[in-house]
Amino acid sequence: MICQYEHPPATLLVMVVLGIETSCDETAAAVVKDGNELLSNEVFSSMDLHKVYGGVVPEIAARSHIESIIPVIDQAVAPVGWDTIDGIAVTYGAGLGGSLLVGVMTAKTLAITKKKPLYAINHVEAHVYANFLTKTSLPAYSLPSSRPAFPLLALIVSGGHSQLVLFRNHFDYTLLGQTRDDAIGEAFDKVAKIVGLPYPGGPSIAEAAHLGDASKFKFPKAKLDHKYEYSFSGPKTAVLRQAQELIGEDYTFSSHLLSERLSEAQKNDIAASFQRVAVETVVDKAVLAFEEFKPESVVIAGGVAANQELRRQMSDRIPIKIHFTDPKLCTDNGAMVATLGCFKMKYNQPAADPYELQIEPNLSM
Ligand code: KG4
Ligand code: ZN
């Protein structure tokens, strides 16, 4: 069994970190104390500007970050004041280049002018750290009462990633497997587009699924040699073929004309059936990893972790209690970045050089 311990804090006993997140379409900043207490959390999403295009337009997202970043940071810092902030953490990858640049340039400038250490944060790793927040006096947050113990199995499911990661301790982790093609959130978004549900597709599919019959269609699960890898392109194509068949057309029928010929009931049944198989796909692998590695705790992270069907299936099939965080902390936010920043400070991880830090759009775990 992998040992379960935490290094004693080496320098500061209590630290307060400002987290800045701009990797996609959310301009976000938050302040976290000691890696467990959420002091502020501000998110401005440019999602409404992208809706008409059916997906995030990188240039529009970057411009929106430029307009919003200073007000968002000001609002996040206001309740505590700059003197209280011990360090700044910023997402430097993975993400959209133009979007990342805005957050990183702002954080570098603030680190230099406010004379604070700067921590470069991996966005995907940060998603997991949303689960370490256990306290807040902010209204409308429902947080777990204790933080996860190591070894920790993390199922990371977002618009850009589907991964299973085993954390032996902070900063000591192994990527067990990931998707070979689309991320699960991306598949939700694409299926929503096929059936004509609004962007972002994840919440739209989840809402439609409530009204549909999840056993109506049998979409296939990909069979892969690698125990912990996923594929979502097969089920997504199966949805397209099913929709074409339902309206009496074949595979040559254009996907963007489909939705207007599907009934509400057909859309709801497709949403429910797809959601069930997509969620089952990631939960199947999480169960296998749980049996193999016997972790002390299991968390789900990333935008799709807000999904109630995923929470239900994880609770039903993983034989330990899973503490889910507030759905608002599953989609992109600054709190997860600040939390990981706190742990970087606490465990003396190297700070970034604010004159040198560069973005890494393709950063992986
Ligand atoms: O983590 P996130 O905010 O951004 C990335 O890092 O990608 O995740 C966004 C993804 C989108 O694909 C969105 O459709 C999906 O998370 N999502 C959901 C739900 N809420 C957001 N998927 C399923 N059910 C939800 N309730
Ligand atoms: Zn994300």
Side-chain angles (χ1 to χ4, degrees):
M1 173 61 87
I2 303 156
C3 77
Q4 187 194 337
Y5 67 96
E6 280 200 357
H7 302 286
T11 45
L12 292 163
L13 285 175
V14 173
M15 68 291 300
V16 175
V17 171
L18 166 68
I20 299 173
E21 157 63 41
T22 62
S23 66
C24 191
D25 57 340
E26 271 89 22
T27 315
V31 178
V32 169
K33 183 176 169 189
D34 222 17
N36 70 348
E37 185 175 356
L38 183 62
L39 301 182
S40 67
N41 190 35
E42 298 295 327
V43 183
F44 174 78
S45 175
S46 60
M47 195 180 288
D48 286 347
L49 302 174
H50 307 286
K51 266 192 173 131
V52 296
Y53 304 100
V56 175
V57 181
E59 291 78 5
I60 295 176
R63 182 179 301 198
S64 173
H65 287 308
I66 292 171
E67 288 167 2
S68 319
I69 187 91
I70 298 299
V72 165
I73 291 174
D74 279 348
Q75 280 166 32
V77 173
V80 295
W82 274 106
D83 289 348
T84 312
I85 307 278
D86 298 308
I88 298 173
V90 64
T91 300
Y92 77 112
L96 301 170
S99 291
L100 288 167
L101 266 177
V102 180
V104 167
M105 288 304 295
T106 308
K108 286 163 77 165
T109 309
L110 286 170
I112 294 164
T113 54
K114 305 282 185 192
K115 298 187 174 56
K116 311 281 182 191
L118 178 66
Y119 292 90
I121 300 292
N122 179 325
H123 177 84
V124 182
E125 187 181 355
H127 266 301
V128 174
Y129 278 76
N131 290 285
F132 283 77
L133 288 164
T134 55
K135 272 204 286 188
T136 189
S137 55
L138 298 176
Y141 282 88
S142 156
L143 301 179
S145 54
S146 61
R147 63 188 192 196
F150 295 106
L152 157 66
L153 178 67
L155 172 61
I156 306 170
V157 278
S158 71
H161 296 85
S162 305
Q163 300 184 327
L164 261 177
V165 181
L166 184 68
F167 284 75
R168 285 173 205 84
N169 208 320
H170 298 291
F171 321 115
D172 176 8
Y173 53 77
T174 304
L175 174 62
L176 301 178
Q178 58 188 329
T179 184
R180 281 200 188 167
D181 38 56
D182 293 350
I184 182 171
E186 196 180 350
F188 268 86
D189 294 338
K190 287 179 177 170
V191 165
K193 205 167 180 176
I194 292 171
V195 299
L197 294 169
Y199 178 85
S204 306
I205 293 273
E207 203 184 316
H210 279 306
L211 307 168
D213 175 0
S215 55
K216 183 82 182 182
F217 304 113
K218 298 270 174 289
F219 297 127
K221 276 189 221 168
K223 289 192 176 54
L224 300 168
D225 296 340
H226 191 295
K227 198 172 174 186
Y228 297 121
E229 277 186 355
Y230 313 102
S231 166
F232 292 100
S233 64
K236 181 195 68 193
T237 307
V239 166
L240 177 61
R241 297 286 172 263
Q242 183 65 66
Q244 287 162 330
E245 195 186 313
L246 281 171
I247 59 163
E249 301 283 354
D250 70 7
Y251 69 94
T252 57
F253 188 79
S254 177
S255 62
H256 69 272
L257 299 173
L258 263 172
S259 63
E260 59 205 46
R261 291 190 35 198
L262 290 169
S263 69
E264 285 305 301
Q266 287 170 329
K267 291 181 184 187
N268 294 340
D269 290 342
I270 289 177
S273 303
F274 170 76
Q275 175 177 262
R276 195 190 65 178
V277 78
V279 166
E280 261 176 30
T281 302
V282 291
V283 176
D284 286 350
K285 309 271 167 158
V287 170
L288 288 179
F290 182 85
E291 285 163 357
E292 180 170 349
F293 299 103
K294 302 185 174 44
E296 283 292 316
S297 55
V298 176
V299 299
I300 58 173
V304 183
N307 186 277
Q308 294 303 326
E309 175 63 13
L310 175 61
R311 291 172 177 224
R312 189 188 65 74
Q313 286 195 26
M314 287 293 282
S315 299
D316 285 355
R317 294 180 57 198
I318 299 276
I320 57 171
K321 173 120 185 83
I322 303 179
H323 299 280
F324 300 109
T325 192
D326 195 293
K328 292 190 286 299
L329 297 175
C330 293
T331 44
D332 291 349
N333 63 80
M336 65 191 201
V337 176
T339 307
L340 179 51
C342 285
F343 284 101
K344 287 214 170 199
M345 269 192 110
K346 189 165 178 164
Y347 294 111
N348 287 317
Q349 294 289 300
D353 181 339
Y355 293 96
E356 296 291 333
L357 179 63
Q358 302 289 325
I359 60 165
E360 284 196 34
N362 298 319
L363 186 67
S364 58
M365 284 288 281

